[in-house]
Amino acid sequence: MRERTGTRVLGAVVAIGLVATLVAFLTLVPEGRNILRGVQERVERLFAEPGKESRWHIWRAALEMYRDAPVAGVGLDCFQLAFMPRRTPEYWHVEWNGTPTKAHNELLHIAATQGTLGLLALGLLTAALGLAFRRALRRAPSPDARALVVAIGAGLVGFYAQDFFSFTVAGCGTLMVSYAAILAALAGYEAPEPEEEAAAPAAPAPAAAPGAGGSARGRPRPAGATGGAGPVALLPPLGLGAVLVLAAWLGFMVYMLAAPAGRGGPAKLLLLAAMLALALAAYRALTAPPPAGAGPPPQPADDDTATAPNLPRPWVRPDRLWRARAAQALVWPLLGVAIWFAVVIPFRANAACREGRTLNNAGRYREAIPALERAVALDPTKELYWVQLGTAYLQAGMTASAPAERRALLERALQAHARSLALVPVNAYNHANYARTLHQLALLSPPGASPEATIAAYQKALEIDPNNAYFLRDAAEAALDFGMLELAEQIAGRAVERYTLPDRGIVHFAPPHETLGDIAVRRQQWEQAAEQYELALRGNWRDFEGGQLRVLEKLARVRLQQGRKEDAARAYAQLGGEREQRARQYAEQAAALRERWLEQLAPGIQQGERYVALLARLNEQPAVQSALQSAAQWRQFAAQAYRRALELAPGLAEAQRGLERLEAAGEH
């Protein structure tokens, strides 16, 4: 009793010490105060400004998914696809172009993706963990064991608490599974009976026959209990089940790879059926129950293993021994082939796609095509691989100079995007990629696609994701290119309505205003065009690089059409300043590259002949040379804009100062 009391006192002291340490860290240490301040700000923003916290929008969408599919949900790993139709303009203002893959609340995520069935399974799991905790706590043989049970229970409670505002990742998920396994083991613990502990050693009992063996403590097992090998006895059925799953996967891969898409359907189905039948035959050969009265020969009564007959382990009926051996010989080839198709080939395909995607992000589209072709050849079932391949072909085609090459690349891009669209037709981005490719083909001479097909593809993308700002802009631009001014105005107006707040003077998305300005120019409505261009200049261009420079030049031309030369001169002067800033960015990029390489080649050296020689060598490097050439080119563009401004308004101060800066540097 004293030992138990002392243990409780020690545990209380340790707990109080840990809490005090945590409080001191959060209040006295600067890093701890930063953590506490961040949590406080997150909670305040979550409840004080719900419209500015993305989780409220995500949780509302998750509830809508559950309402629309209450039985089985929208499907595992389909939250991102189901979120697209529910992505509101308010969410775009908070998380621009963001599409969450999780609900950031495990309960809502399960409800949305698995429906009521998933919620029932979660409830059963939670109830089982609660019962296991109660049973483990009652059966704990010592205070230390009870402390372990309490610690595991606290860990599970912490896991549930954090999952209400997040989602399960590998780190906390594996820990939760480990906690559950330990808790289940502790709940099944049975303390030894006092009679057994006090009993004197008795004569060795006769060995039990397999299938009716005894427990580790010598107590007879109940009828039907697993005997002999214990957990090892589960390995054969588990192994055979794994073979069945791998064989089914192999059959699926053969079904997908045996013939091109859309061809050889009967051959694929035949191969799939053959693989599944082979796996089922192997499973039945090893798991069929013996007939009544059959069983292994009895074991000897003594423990003298030297006189025991050499029996096969595990025992197999003699009339089925050849089947068992055949099935055993079949397992390893099947396993090897399954590993090749289920592990090696997907790994190689993923590596090829990663290489191609890296090249795509770097703008090296032609170099990305061979890697992405390998990826889709190895695994043609992955949507992402076809999307990346279509992007590479599309961008390479848009920059191709030869008309025949341009057409061929765009047609290959259309084929790739059509394949991704066939794989996942509910993904709005697949429809948008297909529409962009049709748009480029329709601009060729002769056209490779019809304007109607292009607009229809954009409309399909907008049906799935109606508030997507980029889809609205691209669709409006396509309609404008095809001369459909009313349709272009309607689509661009939808984007302006959603992402411009005129009462607050905020333009969250500038490109639609440029489109409306272009429409007004086509109609020769100069005042409306100037108004839209000025709104575009005040707006956010997001990732549309160069859009502001383009609109400045358009605004200057509109002012000239209006006869307002001074306003046009100011627009040209502003354009010159933006171009000069662009030149400065390229020059800084070249300088940063030189400095980084100089630190690696000659650390600490900033002057002398060696420094000058290294600097000259570095200026010849392709990356540095390209940046310097771009800087010089943008300086020339800036000088042209400044001169144009001075032609329209001689003596304009900002244009004169800009031109003097360029002339003083001697680089215009």
Side-chain angles (χ1 to χ4, degrees):
M1 184 66 182
R2 292 179 180 177
E3 180 181 357
R4 180 176 299 180
T5 303
T7 303
R8 290 179 177 176
V9 172
L10 179 60
V13 171
V14 171
I16 293 173
L18 290 175
V19 172
T21 303
L22 178 61
V23 172
F25 173 76
L26 295 175
T27 55
L28 302 179
V29 180
E31 290 79 3
R33 289 198 298 268
N34 292 336
I35 294 175
L36 190 61
R37 190 180 303 111
V39 173
Q40 180 181 358
E41 292 175 356
R42 191 68 176 267
V43 172
E44 290 177 354
R45 187 168 66 251
L46 182 64
F47 294 101
E49 299 177 304
K52 296 183 179 180
E53 174 56 45
S54 60
R55 276 176 169 77
W56 287 112
H57 300 280
I58 299 172
W59 293 345
R60 187 181 300 113
L63 289 174
E64 291 178 4
M65 294 179 202
Y66 177 67
R67 182 193 61 196
D68 296 338
V71 178
V74 298
L76 295 174
D77 206 25
C78 292
F79 188 89
Q80 185 177 27
L81 296 174
F83 185 80
M84 291 181 186
R86 300 168 175 85
R87 185 163 49 167
T88 62
E90 292 76 18
Y91 181 79
W92 275 83
H93 291 311
V94 177
E95 294 280 348
W96 187 262
N97 199 27
T99 310
T101 59
K102 307 289 184 182
H104 294 270
N105 180 305
E106 198 65 37
L107 180 65
L108 292 178
H109 186 83
I110 291 174
T113 58
Q114 303 175 46
T116 304
L117 296 178
L119 292 176
L120 290 175
L122 177 63
L124 289 174
L125 173 64
T126 305
L129 289 174
L131 291 175
F133 175 80
R134 179 173 176 271
R135 184 175 297 175
L137 196 64
R138 294 177 60 184
R139 294 187 176 185
S142 65
D144 292 339
R146 278 191 289 274
L148 175 61
V149 174
V150 171
I152 292 174
L156 290 173
V157 171
F159 170 80
Y160 272 71
Q162 68 90 27
D163 260 13
F164 274 108
F165 298 93
S166 183
F167 50 88
T168 303
V169 297
C172 59
T174 52
L175 186 62
M176 183 269 181
V177 172
S178 302
Y179 280 164
I182 296 172
L183 193 63
L186 293 176
Y189 175 79
E190 295 183 8
E193 298 178 2
E195 294 80 1
E196 287 185 331
E197 293 180 351
S215 68
R217 302 189 185 97
R219 295 198 303 268
R221 294 183 181 271
T226 303
V232 179
L234 297 176
L235 293 179
L238 289 177
L240 290 169
V243 170
L244 180 63
V245 172
L246 290 174
W249 173 257
L250 174 61
F252 173 74
M253 295 301 297
V254 171
Y255 170 80
M256 296 302 297
L257 301 176
R263 300 180 182 177
K268 291 180 181 180
L269 292 175
L270 184 61
L271 285 170
L272 176 61
M275 296 303 301
L276 292 176
L278 193 61
L280 289 172
Y283 185 82
R284 182 180 178 185
L286 288 182
T287 58
Q299 298 290 334
D302 54 55
D303 293 332
D304 187 4
T305 57
T307 60
N310 187 16
L311 298 175
R313 296 291 191 269
W315 180 83
V316 180
R317 288 175 50 194
D319 60 328
R320 294 194 175 182
L321 186 59
W322 67 272
R323 297 186 186 179
R325 289 176 178 173
Q328 188 177 17
L330 183 65
V331 165
W332 295 109
L334 272 178
L335 185 60
V337 174
I339 289 175
W340 174 259
F341 280 97
V343 178
V344 177
I345 287 181
F347 176 80
R348 292 172 58 198
N350 186 270
C353 179
R354 185 168 59 250
E355 177 186 353
R357 192 174 189 176
T358 302
L359 293 171
N360 269 350
N361 294 337
R364 299 158 61 183
Y365 302 108
R366 291 180 180 271
E367 300 176 41
I369 289 174
L372 294 169
E373 287 283 9
R374 291 199 310 272
V376 298
L378 289 167
D379 190 354
T381 65
K382 290 294 186 293
E383 171 206 18
L384 174 64
Y385 301 169
W386 290 103
V387 170
Q388 289 295 320
L389 179 61
T391 301
Y393 274 122
L394 176 61
Q395 296 298 327
M398 292 173 64
T399 57
S401 56
E405 182 187 17
R406 180 184 180 91
R407 183 182 296 272
L409 290 171
L410 291 176
E411 288 176 351
R412 295 296 299 273
L414 188 67
Q415 294 172 5
H417 285 311
R419 187 64 183 271
S420 67
L421 184 58
L423 287 171
V424 187
V426 296
N427 191 340
Y429 284 91
N430 290 336
H431 291 276
N433 291 331
Y434 189 74
R436 293 186 186 108
T437 310
L438 287 174
H439 183 189
Q440 295 300 319
L441 283 169
L443 297 177
L444 298 179
S445 181
S450 67
E452 292 77 13
T454 304
I455 297 301
Y458 274 122
Q459 294 289 5
K460 183 61 178 177
L462 287 170
E463 286 178 10
I464 299 174
D465 195 352
N467 298 313
N468 193 301
Y470 295 97
F471 296 174
L472 291 168
R473 184 263 179 187
D474 292 345
E477 284 292 313
L480 179 61
D481 289 340
F482 300 144
M484 305 175 182
L485 299 186
E486 291 77 10
L487 179 61
E489 185 177 25
Q490 176 188 354
I491 298 174
R494 287 165 57 188
V496 169
E497 180 184 354
R498 287 163 172 78
Y499 302 114
T500 297
L501 306 177
D503 55 334
R504 298 168 57 185
I506 298 176
V507 180
H508 281 282
F509 194 46
H513 290 281
E514 180 189 9
T515 304
L516 291 175
D518 294 343
I519 295 171
V521 167
R522 295 246 187 132
R523 294 171 174 169
Q524 297 185 356
Q525 299 171 345
W526 309 117
E527 189 61 36
Q528 295 180 15
E531 180 183 352
Q532 292 298 330
Y533 288 149
E534 288 177 349
L535 283 171
L537 290 174
R538 296 202 305 266
N540 193 327
W541 283 89
R542 303 298 173 178
D543 48 357
F544 285 86
E545 186 178 359
Q548 192 171 17
L549 301 179
R550 187 173 59 249
V551 170
L552 274 171
E553 192 166 3
K554 291 179 179 180
L555 178 61
R557 293 173 182 172
V558 167
R559 292 306 187 192
L560 284 177
Q561 290 289 339
Q562 293 177 298
R564 299 167 60 174
K565 290 187 176 181
E566 290 187 2
D567 291 338
R570 292 191 183 91
Y572 275 118
Q574 187 178 355
L575 176 62
E578 294 292 337
R579 290 175 173 177
E580 187 180 358
Q581 176 64 24
R582 185 67 59 86
R584 192 176 300 115
Q585 292 174 356
Y586 279 110
E588 292 174 353
Q589 179 182 346
L593 288 172
R594 285 198 303 261
E595 290 178 5
R596 187 177 63 195
W597 288 339
L598 280 171
E599 289 177 359
Q600 297 175 358
L601 298 174
I605 300 178
Q606 297 183 354
Q607 59 184 355
E609 296 181 359
R610 185 184 177 191
Y611 177 80
V612 174
L614 284 173
L615 195 61
R617 284 174 50 194
L618 291 177
N619 285 337
E620 297 176 356
Q621 294 296 319
V624 176
Q625 199 172 28
S626 175
L628 291 175
Q629 290 175 354
S630 298
Q633 188 176 23
W634 280 105
R635 289 191 185 98
Q636 292 177 1
F637 293 156
Q640 292 173 3
Y642 286 140
R643 291 194 183 99
R644 181 60 174 155
L646 291 174
E647 289 176 4
L648 296 172
L652 187 64
E654 51 264 37
Q656 188 66 43
R657 286 194 299 267
L659 194 58
E660 289 174 357
R661 284 194 303 269
L662 294 176
E663 290 177 348
E667 298 189 44
H668 63 282

